[in-house]
Amino acid sequence: MRNKVQCEECSEDSCLIKYLIGSEYLKAVRNGMTQNVYKKDTHIFKEGDPIFGIYFIQSGGVKVVTTSLNGREQVVRLAKAGQILGHRGLDSARYYFNAIALMDTMVCFIESKVFNATCLNSAELSYHLMILFAHELRRAELRVKYQAQMNIREKVAEAFLYINEVFGVNPETKLLNISLSRQDIADTAGTTAEQVTRQLRDFENEKLIARDKWSIKILDIKGMEKIVEDYAIF
Amino acid sequence: MRNKVQCEECSEDSCLIKYLIGSEYLKAVRNGMTQNVYKKDTHIFKEGDPIFGIYFIQSGGVKVVTTSLNGREQVVRLAKAGQILGHRGLDSARYYFNAIALMDTMVCFIESKVFNATCLNSAELSYHLMILFAHELRRAELRVKYQAQMNIREKVAEAFLYINEVFGVNPETKLLNISLSRQDIADTAGTTAEQVTRQLRDFENEKLIARDKWSIKILDIKGMEKIVEDYAIF
DNA sequence: TTAGATAAATGATAATTATCACTCTTCAAG
DNA sequence: CTTGAAGAGTGATAATTATCATTTATCTAA
């Protein structure tokens, strides 16, 4: 959990704002930026809320979730430190999704007015934001395919690969750097908590993972990848 | 099917290039643009192909498809005249998806080098492309939810709403402006052609649609929308 | 430490959906 | 017009997955 820092001193190298360092636009961004802590399970923003601005995660982790009227949630994105939130509503008056903290999370906030003006002024920031959009769109569309075509075994394996990709594992313990409930994993995989539990038992029996009290240890990442290899693109 | 036209004279008002009319950048774009016809069922580009450039649909219709190694296809996007293709690979060396003509389709092509330079130079084009990305990303993520949570009835209804949204219906005949095979509808809905056929029969029995030789007539669009209302966002 | 609440795990079963095997219909080519 | 291929439709069944009901394990507050 980090203390409030200036952008130049922030250790999050992957943050888009890093592209502004040294430019004339950084000052406006920094002057309009606030930093807040969100406790685990609290909303950073909610679908339907008026859009105030754009968020950057300084530390912690967030799930971006869409909820159906029947109460079911679908995790559409996981985000770690350095990543941006709220950009899906760039052209909109309201947030379309919920951003919920998966652990205590420090988030930097910039008002839309400031961020949008900076995008219009800094070709470099704008360009990198567009690259990010292209990348996220591709990933989202692959996830449409996964949901349409994968069986539960494959979906749960894919969910773990995604969690590992975003949050990584502790190199020593091999434990995923985040502890997620069975329901969160299920909402990411697109199935039920019971099916996740069953599949985890199978994976553990196959020595692909180990269930630890706090989180999951990934024993054989290649073995997990092999489960979903039919869905790889070129 | 249109003949080759200049951008200023093209009747496709929704094309992004329209934002360049009157600007100094239009000439480079126009000089670097070619127009080609793709027959129904042919590829405009294939996943894995090196990226040559960006396409704009002048007339016709295209499905953007991702294919799994097991041969299954998932339609991730439908696109009509005026819309852009190939922008998902903006930052990439290869196309990630296939674009396949759903009917004879005329497409304008701009080399990546020209298009990217124009984006960097024209803040207006860049901005509108970003808006398009935000919009498409939201839609793609909603589709993740639909695939994860909807049953077949709902998925097929949603597929028809999407087809109607993109291609519309003939106001007189109420027939969808495009004739899609049961397999194409299934690849859009994320199910099998048999299930699509069954569901169509049910919808017809419920007077929501009528099956015509050439296409489908949507009799009660509100009734179709009601089937998926649980998944609406705010 | 205890009690209560919640999460995880498990077994059984109901519901859903893909698959398979066919028949019927339509279309295109000769 | 005929024939063959392909698409659409249908019925049956196998496979998969959600749901339900319970038990076990864990966590938190007093």
mmCIF file of all heavy atoms in Angstrom, chain A residues 96-123:
data_model
loop_
_atom_site.group_PDB
_atom_site.id
_atom_site.type_symbol
_atom_site.label_atom_id
_atom_site.label_comp_id
_atom_site.label_asym_id
_atom_site.label_seq_id
_atom_site.Cartn_x
_atom_site.Cartn_y
_atom_site.Cartn_z
ATOM 1 N N TYR A 96 -20.234 2.604 -17.675
ATOM 2 C CA TYR A 96 -20.980 1.438 -18.126
ATOM 3 C C TYR A 96 -20.719 0.223 -17.262
ATOM 4 O O TYR A 96 -21.435 -0.766 -17.342
ATOM 5 C CB TYR A 96 -20.595 1.107 -19.566
ATOM 6 C CG TYR A 96 -21.269 1.987 -20.586
ATOM 7 C CD1 TYR A 96 -20.758 3.247 -20.869
ATOM 8 C CD2 TYR A 96 -22.411 1.571 -21.250
ATOM 9 C CE1 TYR A 96 -21.379 4.061 -21.791
ATOM 10 C CE2 TYR A 96 -23.033 2.376 -22.171
ATOM 11 C CZ TYR A 96 -22.514 3.619 -22.435
ATOM 12 O OH TYR A 96 -23.120 4.434 -23.339
ATOM 13 N N PHE A 97 -19.651 0.244 -16.493
ATOM 14 C CA PHE A 97 -19.257 -0.927 -15.716
ATOM 15 C C PHE A 97 -18.958 -0.517 -14.280
ATOM 16 O O PHE A 97 -18.795 0.650 -13.975
ATOM 17 C CB PHE A 97 -18.010 -1.581 -16.341
ATOM 18 C CG PHE A 97 -18.222 -2.056 -17.741
ATOM 19 C CD1 PHE A 97 -17.892 -1.255 -18.818
ATOM 20 C CD2 PHE A 97 -18.786 -3.306 -18.000
ATOM 21 C CE1 PHE A 97 -18.109 -1.679 -20.126
ATOM 22 C CE2 PHE A 97 -19.003 -3.738 -19.296
ATOM 23 C CZ PHE A 97 -18.665 -2.920 -20.363
ATOM 24 N N ASN A 98 -18.851 -1.514 -13.406
ATOM 25 C CA ASN A 98 -18.427 -1.282 -12.023
ATOM 26 C C ASN A 98 -16.956 -1.610 -11.887
ATOM 27 O O ASN A 98 -16.499 -2.634 -12.409
ATOM 28 C CB ASN A 98 -19.180 -2.238 -11.092
ATOM 29 C CG ASN A 98 -20.668 -2.176 -11.275
ATOM 30 O OD1 ASN A 98 -21.320 -1.314 -10.720
ATOM 31 N ND2 ASN A 98 -21.227 -3.089 -12.066
ATOM 32 N N ALA A 99 -16.238 -0.783 -11.156
ATOM 33 C CA ALA A 99 -14.864 -1.130 -10.806
ATOM 34 C C ALA A 99 -14.842 -1.361 -9.301
ATOM 35 O O ALA A 99 -15.224 -0.483 -8.523
ATOM 36 C CB ALA A 99 -13.904 -0.008 -11.189
ATOM 37 N N ILE A 100 -14.412 -2.562 -8.911
ATOM 38 C CA ILE A 100 -14.452 -2.973 -7.513
ATOM 39 C C ILE A 100 -13.057 -3.404 -7.076
ATOM 40 O O ILE A 100 -12.401 -4.182 -7.783
ATOM 41 C CB ILE A 100 -15.460 -4.127 -7.322
ATOM 42 C CG1 ILE A 100 -16.860 -3.668 -7.783
ATOM 43 C CG2 ILE A 100 -15.505 -4.584 -5.873
ATOM 44 C CD1 ILE A 100 -17.887 -4.777 -7.875
ATOM 45 N N ALA A 101 -12.631 -2.923 -5.912
ATOM 46 C CA ALA A 101 -11.295 -3.264 -5.419
ATOM 47 C C ALA A 101 -11.248 -4.713 -4.953
ATOM 48 O O ALA A 101 -12.111 -5.161 -4.209
ATOM 49 C CB ALA A 101 -10.914 -2.339 -4.271
ATOM 50 N N LEU A 102 -10.224 -5.439 -5.429
ATOM 51 C CA LEU A 102 -10.052 -6.829 -5.047
ATOM 52 C C LEU A 102 -9.220 -6.971 -3.779
ATOM 53 O O LEU A 102 -9.142 -8.038 -3.179
ATOM 54 C CB LEU A 102 -9.353 -7.594 -6.178
ATOM 55 C CG LEU A 102 -10.184 -7.853 -7.417
ATOM 56 C CD1 LEU A 102 -9.308 -8.333 -8.559
ATOM 57 C CD2 LEU A 102 -11.277 -8.870 -7.128
ATOM 58 N N MET A 103 -8.525 -5.915 -3.441
ATOM 59 C CA MET A 103 -7.732 -5.793 -2.224
ATOM 60 C C MET A 103 -7.685 -4.306 -1.943
ATOM 61 O O MET A 103 -8.146 -3.509 -2.758
ATOM 62 C CB MET A 103 -6.325 -6.367 -2.443
ATOM 63 C CG MET A 103 -5.542 -5.628 -3.520
ATOM 64 S SD MET A 103 -3.889 -6.273 -3.814
ATOM 65 C CE MET A 103 -4.214 -7.720 -4.783
ATOM 66 N N ASP A 104 -7.122 -3.935 -0.828
ATOM 67 C CA ASP A 104 -6.964 -2.497 -0.575
ATOM 68 C C ASP A 104 -6.140 -1.907 -1.727
ATOM 69 O O ASP A 104 -5.095 -2.450 -2.083
ATOM 70 C CB ASP A 104 -6.303 -2.260 0.767
ATOM 71 C CG ASP A 104 -7.196 -2.696 1.918
ATOM 72 O OD1 ASP A 104 -8.339 -3.127 1.658
ATOM 73 O OD2 ASP A 104 -6.751 -2.590 3.086
ATOM 74 N N THR A 105 -6.654 -0.856 -2.302
ATOM 75 C CA THR A 105 -6.117 -0.353 -3.563
ATOM 76 C C THR A 105 -6.001 1.165 -3.537
ATOM 77 O O THR A 105 -6.960 1.855 -3.173
ATOM 78 C CB THR A 105 -7.060 -0.766 -4.723
ATOM 79 O OG1 THR A 105 -7.136 -2.196 -4.761
ATOM 80 C CG2 THR A 105 -6.577 -0.267 -6.068
ATOM 81 N N MET A 106 -4.832 1.670 -3.936
ATOM 82 C CA MET A 106 -4.687 3.117 -4.050
ATOM 83 C C MET A 106 -4.840 3.520 -5.515
ATOM 84 O O MET A 106 -4.223 2.919 -6.398
ATOM 85 C CB MET A 106 -3.346 3.610 -3.530
ATOM 86 C CG MET A 106 -3.201 5.106 -3.739
ATOM 87 S SD MET A 106 -1.937 5.880 -2.772
ATOM 88 C CE MET A 106 -2.767 6.064 -1.210
ATOM 89 N N VAL A 107 -5.671 4.527 -5.719
ATOM 90 C CA VAL A 107 -6.055 4.912 -7.076
ATOM 91 C C VAL A 107 -5.863 6.422 -7.262
ATOM 92 O O VAL A 107 -6.238 7.200 -6.391
ATOM 93 C CB VAL A 107 -7.542 4.549 -7.314
ATOM 94 C CG1 VAL A 107 -7.981 4.991 -8.686
ATOM 95 C CG2 VAL A 107 -7.750 3.047 -7.148
ATOM 96 N N CYS A 108 -5.282 6.797 -8.382
ATOM 97 C CA CYS A 108 -5.152 8.217 -8.737
ATOM 98 C C CYS A 108 -6.321 8.584 -9.650
ATOM 99 O O CYS A 108 -6.663 7.827 -10.549
ATOM 100 C CB CYS A 108 -3.851 8.461 -9.501
ATOM 101 S SG CYS A 108 -2.423 7.851 -8.622
ATOM 102 N N PHE A 109 -6.861 9.730 -9.419
ATOM 103 C CA PHE A 109 -8.047 10.152 -10.168
ATOM 104 C C PHE A 109 -7.768 11.465 -10.892
ATOM 105 O O PHE A 109 -7.211 12.397 -10.310
ATOM 106 C CB PHE A 109 -9.214 10.342 -9.198
ATOM 107 C CG PHE A 109 -10.402 11.013 -9.818
ATOM 108 C CD1 PHE A 109 -11.261 10.317 -10.650
ATOM 109 C CD2 PHE A 109 -10.666 12.356 -9.590
ATOM 110 C CE1 PHE A 109 -12.361 10.937 -11.230
ATOM 111 C CE2 PHE A 109 -11.759 12.996 -10.171
ATOM 112 C CZ PHE A 109 -12.608 12.279 -10.987
ATOM 113 N N ILE A 110 -8.152 11.524 -12.172
ATOM 114 C CA ILE A 110 -8.058 12.761 -12.934
ATOM 115 C C ILE A 110 -9.422 13.083 -13.505
ATOM 116 O O ILE A 110 -10.080 12.212 -14.086
ATOM 117 C CB ILE A 110 -7.084 12.626 -14.132
ATOM 118 C CG1 ILE A 110 -5.799 11.958 -13.698
ATOM 119 C CG2 ILE A 110 -6.812 13.992 -14.710
ATOM 120 C CD1 ILE A 110 -4.815 11.832 -14.826
ATOM 121 N N GLU A 111 -9.845 14.300 -13.384
ATOM 122 C CA GLU A 111 -11.123 14.701 -13.970
ATOM 123 C C GLU A 111 -11.110 14.530 -15.478
ATOM 124 O O GLU A 111 -10.102 14.790 -16.140
ATOM 125 C CB GLU A 111 -11.420 16.164 -13.645
ATOM 126 C CG GLU A 111 -11.950 16.389 -12.247
ATOM 127 C CD GLU A 111 -12.347 17.837 -12.037
ATOM 128 O OE1 GLU A 111 -12.876 18.461 -12.996
ATOM 129 O OE2 GLU A 111 -12.120 18.351 -10.939
ATOM 130 N N SER A 112 -12.257 14.142 -16.017
ATOM 131 C CA SER A 112 -12.404 13.926 -17.459
ATOM 132 C C SER A 112 -11.935 15.119 -18.268
ATOM 133 O O SER A 112 -11.254 14.976 -19.280
ATOM 134 C CB SER A 112 -13.870 13.680 -17.822
ATOM 135 O OG SER A 112 -14.346 12.573 -17.146
ATOM 136 N N LYS A 113 -12.315 16.289 -17.807
ATOM 137 C CA LYS A 113 -12.004 17.512 -18.546
ATOM 138 C C LYS A 113 -10.503 17.650 -18.747
ATOM 139 O O LYS A 113 -10.022 17.946 -19.842
ATOM 140 C CB LYS A 113 -12.587 18.688 -17.752
ATOM 141 C CG LYS A 113 -12.460 20.035 -18.386
ATOM 142 C CD LYS A 113 -13.308 21.060 -17.633
ATOM 143 C CE LYS A 113 -12.993 21.043 -16.138
ATOM 144 N NZ LYS A 113 -13.710 22.144 -15.416
ATOM 145 N N VAL A 114 -9.761 17.397 -17.661
ATOM 146 C CA VAL A 114 -8.309 17.507 -17.724
ATOM 147 C C VAL A 114 -7.716 16.412 -18.590
ATOM 148 O O VAL A 114 -6.864 16.665 -19.459
ATOM 149 C CB VAL A 114 -7.706 17.446 -16.301
ATOM 150 C CG1 VAL A 114 -6.188 17.499 -16.345
ATOM 151 C CG2 VAL A 114 -8.264 18.559 -15.445
ATOM 152 N N PHE A 115 -8.195 15.192 -18.363
ATOM 153 C CA PHE A 115 -7.636 14.069 -19.120
ATOM 154 C C PHE A 115 -7.924 14.198 -20.607
ATOM 155 O O PHE A 115 -7.047 14.010 -21.441
ATOM 156 C CB PHE A 115 -8.190 12.748 -18.579
ATOM 157 C CG PHE A 115 -7.577 11.547 -19.236
ATOM 158 C CD1 PHE A 115 -6.274 11.169 -18.954
ATOM 159 C CD2 PHE A 115 -8.300 10.805 -20.166
ATOM 160 C CE1 PHE A 115 -5.699 10.064 -19.561
ATOM 161 C CE2 PHE A 115 -7.732 9.700 -20.782
ATOM 162 C CZ PHE A 115 -6.430 9.333 -20.476
ATOM 163 N N ASN A 116 -9.159 14.530 -20.946
ATOM 164 C CA ASN A 116 -9.514 14.645 -22.366
ATOM 165 C C ASN A 116 -8.729 15.755 -23.050
ATOM 166 O O ASN A 116 -8.264 15.596 -24.180
ATOM 167 C CB ASN A 116 -11.018 14.893 -22.526
ATOM 168 C CG ASN A 116 -11.828 13.666 -22.147
ATOM 169 O OD1 ASN A 116 -11.264 12.602 -21.903
ATOM 170 N ND2 ASN A 116 -13.138 13.804 -22.085
ATOM 171 N N ALA A 117 -8.563 16.872 -22.357
ATOM 172 C CA ALA A 117 -7.786 17.969 -22.943
ATOM 173 C C ALA A 117 -6.346 17.531 -23.157
ATOM 174 O O ALA A 117 -5.730 17.837 -24.187
ATOM 175 C CB ALA A 117 -7.851 19.195 -22.037
ATOM 176 N N THR A 118 -5.813 16.782 -22.208
ATOM 177 C CA THR A 118 -4.436 16.321 -22.343
ATOM 178 C C THR A 118 -4.299 15.354 -23.514
ATOM 179 O O THR A 118 -3.311 15.413 -24.256
ATOM 180 C CB THR A 118 -3.952 15.673 -21.037
ATOM 181 O OG1 THR A 118 -4.216 16.555 -19.952
ATOM 182 C CG2 THR A 118 -2.474 15.365 -21.079
ATOM 183 N N CYS A 119 -5.276 14.500 -23.678
ATOM 184 C CA CYS A 119 -5.250 13.598 -24.829
ATOM 185 C C CYS A 119 -5.258 14.365 -26.142
ATOM 186 O O CYS A 119 -4.556 14.018 -27.097
ATOM 187 C CB CYS A 119 -6.465 12.667 -24.834
ATOM 188 S SG CYS A 119 -6.275 11.343 -23.677
ATOM 189 N N LEU A 120 -6.077 15.404 -26.187
ATOM 190 C CA LEU A 120 -6.151 16.183 -27.420
ATOM 191 C C LEU A 120 -4.857 16.927 -27.681
ATOM 192 O O LEU A 120 -4.476 17.142 -28.834
ATOM 193 C CB LEU A 120 -7.320 17.179 -27.352
ATOM 194 C CG LEU A 120 -8.693 16.554 -27.647
ATOM 195 C CD1 LEU A 120 -9.808 17.565 -27.372
ATOM 196 C CD2 LEU A 120 -8.764 16.108 -29.103
ATOM 197 N N ASN A 121 -4.151 17.284 -26.612
ATOM 198 C CA ASN A 121 -2.931 18.068 -26.769
ATOM 199 C C ASN A 121 -1.678 17.231 -26.934
ATOM 200 O O ASN A 121 -0.740 17.648 -27.597
ATOM 201 C CB ASN A 121 -2.744 18.999 -25.563
ATOM 202 C CG ASN A 121 -3.743 20.140 -25.595
ATOM 203 O OD1 ASN A 121 -4.073 20.649 -26.664
ATOM 204 N ND2 ASN A 121 -4.222 20.538 -24.428
ATOM 205 N N SER A 122 -1.637 16.086 -26.287
ATOM 206 C CA SER A 122 -0.440 15.269 -26.365
ATOM 207 C C SER A 122 -0.671 14.112 -27.331
ATOM 208 O O SER A 122 -1.343 13.141 -27.013
ATOM 209 C CB SER A 122 -0.066 14.724 -24.985
ATOM 210 O OG SER A 122 0.839 13.648 -25.122
ATOM 211 N N ALA A 123 -0.058 14.222 -28.493
ATOM 212 C CA ALA A 123 -0.202 13.156 -29.485
ATOM 213 C C ALA A 123 0.348 11.838 -28.943
ATOM 214 O O ALA A 123 -0.154 10.760 -29.249
ATOM 215 C CB ALA A 123 0.520 13.545 -30.767
#
